[in-house]
């Protein structure tokens, strides 16, 4: 699994590519948490467009980050571009009680700074 | 019982083998001409069951994971067996959000996903002897759609 992260203003945009399973969950978790050390980040976006597989291990990664964002003043988490199997697992998990869902590509991508 | 169509695969309980298990399951299922969605269901369910062996069955060692694939008519059966610690309370384990490893960010949704994506889920387990998870899925959606 690959990850591309972009920070622009108060938003951390995480694009994941490949299969998000238990095997790669901890690596992804650690990378995101390092970036989330920046307390000015108020919005966390998971772009799942290029995720080709996800199971409940991926739900664990998203839920824990979303809970951490919720503890920040004004903090929120958004999932964009989830489809097919990924969306079915997300819906089943009840993740959308804690995380917002958006369909479009994130608005601020064009003027963002590439981090990794 | 071992029939001509049965396949058994054994591998170590390493997390990198979760992908291997999904690939095996997809390859076995492919001969039944599944829809894309059925294939996704099968890969998701096997991934959950094998991940459970990797995460829970052998707390301080690497053990064996055994996959057994078989079929009867258009019903595919997948069995995932380990010789690990076993599940002491199967009813509780099946509850959504129940996990014994919250510190590892387990969501406790593995059995919930297996149940939702398969037609049948059976769990049998004996303390300190191991666990077998049996999942069944009817592969018939494409054919009934073609006939409609
Ligand atoms: N093969 C297994 N061996 C031992 N315990 C297991 C096994 N599979 C599942 N369990 C137990 O059942 C619980 C629920 O499993 P699951 O729904 O997949 O959630 P999670 O894996 O996120 O904890 C686990 O937390 C664990 O205690
Ligand atoms: Mg599990």
């Amino acid at each position: 699994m690959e990850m591309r992260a972009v920070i622009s203003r108060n938003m951390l945009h995480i694009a994941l590519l490949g299969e998000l399973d238990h095997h790669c969950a901890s690596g992804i978790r650690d990378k995101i948490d390092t970036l989330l050390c920046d307390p000015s980040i108020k919005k966390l976006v998971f772009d799942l467009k290029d995720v080709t597989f996800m199971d409940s291990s991926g739900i664990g990664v998203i839920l824990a980050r979303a809970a951490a964002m919720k503890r920040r003043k004004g903090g929120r988490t958004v999932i964009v571009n989830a489809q097919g199997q990924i969306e079915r697992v997300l819906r089943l998990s009840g993740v959308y009680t804690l995380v917002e869902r958006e369909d479009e590509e994130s608005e601020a991508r064009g003027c963002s700074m590439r981090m990794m | 019982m071992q029939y001509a169509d049965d396949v058994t695969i054994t591998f170590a309980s390493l997390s990198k083998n979760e992908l291997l298990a999904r690939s095996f399951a997809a390859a076995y299922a492919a001969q039944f001409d599944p829809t894309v969605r059925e294939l996704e269901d099968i890969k998701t369910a096997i991934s959950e069951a094998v991940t459970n062996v990797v995460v829970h069955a052998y707390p301080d060692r690497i053990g064996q994971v055994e996959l057994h694939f078989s079929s009867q008519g258009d019903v595919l059966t997948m069995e995932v067996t380990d010789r690990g610690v076993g599940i002491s309370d199967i009813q509780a384990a099946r509850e959504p959000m129940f996990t014994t490893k919250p510190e590892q960010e387990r969501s406790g949704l593995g059995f919930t996903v297996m149940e939702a994506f398969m037609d049948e889920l059976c769990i049998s387990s004996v303390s300190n002897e191991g666990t077998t998870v049996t999942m069944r899925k009817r592969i018939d959606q494409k054919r009934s759609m073609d006939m409609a």
Side-chain angles (χ1 to χ4, degrees):
Chain A
M1 158 139 283
E2 267 183 68
M3 178 179 129
R4 299 212 185 98
V6 168
I7 296 179
S8 68
R9 279 174 273 134
N10 297 330
M11 180 180 78
L12 170 59
H13 184 278
I14 301 286
L16 299 171
L17 293 84
E19 308 207 348
L20 178 49
D21 64 1
H22 161 253
H23 178 63
C24 60
S26 58
I28 294 295
R29 176 194 69 201
D30 293 348
K31 280 190 198 168
I32 297 174
D33 285 353
T34 304
L35 295 164
L36 281 178
C37 286
D38 177 349
S40 70
I41 294 167
K42 299 295 182 204
K43 182 178 177 184
L44 171 61
V45 180
F46 285 100
D47 186 343
L48 305 182
K49 179 165 66 78
D50 296 315
V51 176
T52 50
F53 175 87
M54 189 178 83
D55 61 18
S56 73
S57 298
I59 298 294
V61 172
I62 294 173
L63 274 179
R65 310 286 88 64
M69 287 307 289
K70 197 141 204 171
R71 288 192 292 270
R72 292 186 183 193
K73 197 164 175 288
R76 61 195 193 100
T77 304
V78 175
I79 290 175
V80 295
N81 299 321
Q83 310 148 29
Q85 183 263 352
I86 301 26
E87 177 65 3
R88 288 196 287 134
V89 172
L90 287 166
R91 279 182 193 280
L92 179 66
S93 72
V95 104
Y96 288 125
T97 56
L98 203 63
V99 177
E100 298 156 57
R101 185 184 191 287
E102 281 173 15
D103 272 319
E104 299 78 26
E105 290 276 46
S106 183
E107 69 283 353
R109 267 187 121 181
C111 58
S112 54
M113 182 177 78
R114 199 142 182 271
M115 290 289 290
M116 17 182 10
Chain B
M1 265 183 292
Q2 180 82 32
Y3 291 100
D5 279 358
D6 290 19
V7 175
T8 304
I9 299 148
T10 306
F11 51 86
S13 63
L14 299 168
S15 66
K16 65 172 184 176
N17 289 332
E18 293 153 7
L19 170 61
L20 197 73
R22 292 198 293 276
S23 309
F24 276 132
Y28 186 83
Q31 60 189 321
F32 301 95
D33 197 20
T35 61
V36 170
R37 190 182 168 125
E38 287 164 344
L39 213 49
E40 287 170 356
D41 291 349
I42 286 162
K43 284 173 71 175
T44 312
I46 200 83
S47 193
E48 295 291 354
V50 170
T51 297
N52 276 355
V53 178
V54 173
V55 174
H56 303 292
Y58 306 107
D60 35 41
R61 65 189 171 102
I62 303 298
Q64 293 288 301
V65 189
E66 189 182 302
L67 303 189
H68 184 74
F69 299 108
S70 59
S71 64
Q72 268 200 309
D74 48 15
V75 177
L76 177 77
T77 300
M78 307 192 285
E79 269 174 31
V80 180
T81 299
D82 65 68
R83 312 276 167 216
V85 293
I87 302 173
S88 50
D89 187 342
I90 293 173
Q91 273 314 109
R94 290 181 81 131
E95 286 293 319
M97 321 280 260
F98 176 91
T99 182
T100 49
K101 296 230 162 131
E103 74 285 355
Q104 285 185 28
E105 295 186 355
R106 307 302 312 158
S107 58
L109 291 168
F111 284 132
T112 307
V113 168
M114 290 181 242
E115 195 148 17
F117 283 35
M118 295 284 108
D119 293 326
E120 200 183 312
L121 169 69
C122 303
I123 306 163
S124 67
S125 190
V126 178
S127 227
N128 293 316
E129 285 186 21
T131 302
T132 295
V133 171
T134 306
M135 297 176 282
R136 291 201 174 80
K137 178 102 179 153
R138 183 177 294 277
I139 310 290
D140 62 354
Q141 278 155 28
K142 197 186 225 168
R143 259 156 281 164
S144 47
M145 257 162 53
D146 287 348
M147 282 187 283

